[in-house]
């Protein structure tokens, strides 16, 4: 069964750090591009980071560039999102999605259910 499962979301104080995980089963994640997305209440879903296959090049949105880092563990079939210097604007439901070419934005992408990140004092 093909599945993406996110974990690691929690309540964190402003300025803090958090690492999210996106673990795949049923397919080899290393062959796919994977994107991390977030959605805050009342806002549109935003792509924040992507890791591409065969070389692991990465791209980031302007809102997280320099603070977030996406990485891949081929053995664990997992992609991570390390988040630093968190602020309230980073609050949202974080989810991952994978497909071959478009960082999980294609219609046939595999998608996870998400994990909640709340940044608050």
């Amino acid at each position: 069964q093909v599945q993406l499962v996110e974990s690691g979301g929690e309540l964190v104080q402003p300025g803090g750090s958090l690492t999210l995980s996106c673990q795949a089963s049923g397919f080899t994640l290393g062959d796919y591009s994977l994107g991390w997305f977030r959605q805050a209440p009342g806002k549109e879903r935003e792509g924040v980071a992507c890791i591409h296959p065969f070389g692991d090049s990465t791209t980031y949105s302007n809102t997280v560039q320099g603070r977030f880092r996406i990485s891949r563990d081929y053995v664990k079939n997992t992609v991570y999102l390390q988040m630093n210097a968190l602020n309230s604007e980073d609050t949202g439901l974080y989810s991952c999605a994978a497909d071959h070419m478009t960082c999980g934005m294609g219609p046939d992408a595999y998608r996870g259910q998400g994990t909640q990140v709340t940044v608050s004092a």
Side-chain angles (χ1 to χ4, degrees), residues 8-20 38-41 63-64 67-68 81-94 115-121:
E10 63 181 56
L11 173 65
V12 61
Q13 291 190 344
S17 298
L18 203 59
T19 298
L20 307 182
R38 68 185 181 190
Q39 187 164 22
T63 55
V64 307
R67 300 187 299 122
F68 289 14
L81 184 68
Q82 182 179 348
M83 308 185 294
N84 300 313
L86 288 163
N87 59 64
S88 59
E89 295 295 311
D90 296 316
T91 294
L93 181 69
Y94 284 71
T115 184
Q116 179 67 35
V117 173
T118 303
V119 184
S120 175

Side-chain angles (χ1 to χ4, degrees), residues 102-118:
T102 64
C103 296
M105 291 187 288
D108 297 326
Y110 302 136
R111 295 182 175 84
Q113 294 299 308
T115 184
Q116 179 67 35
V117 173
T118 303

Side-chain angles (χ1 to χ4, degrees), residues 28-47:
T28 302
L29 196 52
D31 296 336
Y32 288 70
S33 67
L34 185 133
W36 277 101
F37 302 84
R38 68 185 181 190
Q39 187 164 22
K43 294 187 177 181
E44 290 189 0
R45 184 168 169 257
E46 173 192 16

Side-chain angles (χ1 to χ4, degrees), residues 35-82:
W36 277 101
F37 302 84
R38 68 185 181 190
Q39 187 164 22
K43 294 187 177 181
E44 290 189 0
R45 184 168 169 257
E46 173 192 16
V48 297
C50 177
I51 188 164
H52 303 274
F54 314 119
D56 282 352
S57 62
T58 57
T59 53
Y60 300 92
S61 67
N62 290 336
T63 55
V64 307
Q65 178 76 47
R67 300 187 299 122
F68 289 14
R69 179 176 178 269
I70 189 171
S71 62
R72 192 196 303 265
D73 186 322
Y74 286 88
V75 174
K76 295 183 178 179
N77 212 26
T78 299
V79 171
Y80 301 98
L81 184 68
Q82 182 179 348

Side-chain angles (χ1 to χ4, degrees), residues 2-17:
V2 170
Q3 201 172 13
L4 284 173
V5 178
E6 303 93 336
S7 62
E10 63 181 56
L11 173 65
V12 61
Q13 291 190 344
S17 298

